[in-house]
Amino acid sequence: HVQLVESGGGSVQAGGSLRLSCAASGFTVSIYAIFCMGWFRQAPGKEREGVASIGSDRSTMYADSVKDRFTTSRDNAKNTVYLQMNSLKREDTAMYYCAAGPPPLRGVWYSPDSYVYWGQGTQVTVS
């Protein structure tokens, strides 16, 4: 039974930082290591959008809106992926989700349809 659990969300003032974590269970370490992990966010009334992804080779992709401010990384030994968010802006306010997609991804990294497993989300509010 695969489960993804996000943590680290909260309320922060503009310009501040938060670090999100997403812990995966139900994977062996070797299986988790080959999955592509994605971060998505969804604000009220808006579609879910891809924020960042990290592949099994630790290659990363970012949405233009967060490039140079957000960094994703992974610790395969802990089955955990992280999203470091700096210089937060009000427009970053959203529910943030992590997702896991088996290789090869079924589509582009920023498409929710490319991922199979999803966490329940963690709220980030920037004021």
Side-chain angles (χ1 to χ4, degrees), residues 74-92:
R74 65 192 299 165
D75 184 340
N76 290 338
K78 297 182 179 179
N79 281 11
T80 300
V81 63
Y82 305 97
L83 184 68
Q84 178 66 44
M85 305 186 295
N86 298 329
S87 302
L88 282 161
K89 304 176 180 180
R90 289 185 179 181
E91 51 263 43
D92 294 319

Side-chain angles (χ1 to χ4, degrees), residues 5-12 16-23 39 58 69-76 78 80-88 96 122-126:
V5 179
E6 302 95 336
S7 61
S11 297
V12 65
S17 298
L18 284 173
R19 188 195 195 202
L20 306 184
S21 299
C22 172
W39 287 98
R58 302 182 189 278
R69 299 189 298 122
F70 290 12
T71 303
T72 188
S73 60
R74 65 192 299 165
D75 184 340
N76 290 338
K78 297 182 179 179
T80 300
V81 63
Y82 305 97
L83 184 68
Q84 178 66 44
M85 305 186 295
N86 298 329
S87 302
L88 282 161
Y96 282 71
T122 186
Q123 178 68 38
V124 171
T125 302
V126 185

Side-chain angles (χ1 to χ4, degrees), residues 6-87:
E6 302 95 336
S7 61
S11 297
V12 65
Q13 290 189 336
S17 298
L18 284 173
R19 188 195 195 202
L20 306 184
S21 299
C22 172
S25 60
F27 290 105
T28 63
V29 171
S30 59
I31 294 298
Y32 175 82
I34 68 173
F35 269 62
C36 180
M37 301 301 296
W39 287 98
F40 289 76
R41 66 187 181 186
Q42 188 166 20
K46 294 188 176 181
E47 292 188 354
R48 190 167 296 192
E49 64 171 343
V51 174
S53 75
I54 183 165
S56 59
D57 60 356
R58 302 182 189 278
S59 61
T60 55
M61 300 292 288
Y62 297 96
D64 287 344
S65 59
V66 306
K67 204 169 290 184
D68 298 326
R69 299 189 298 122
F70 290 12
T71 303
T72 188
S73 60
R74 65 192 299 165
D75 184 340
N76 290 338
K78 297 182 179 179
N79 281 11
T80 300
V81 63
Y82 305 97
L83 184 68
Q84 178 66 44
M85 305 186 295
N86 298 329
S87 302

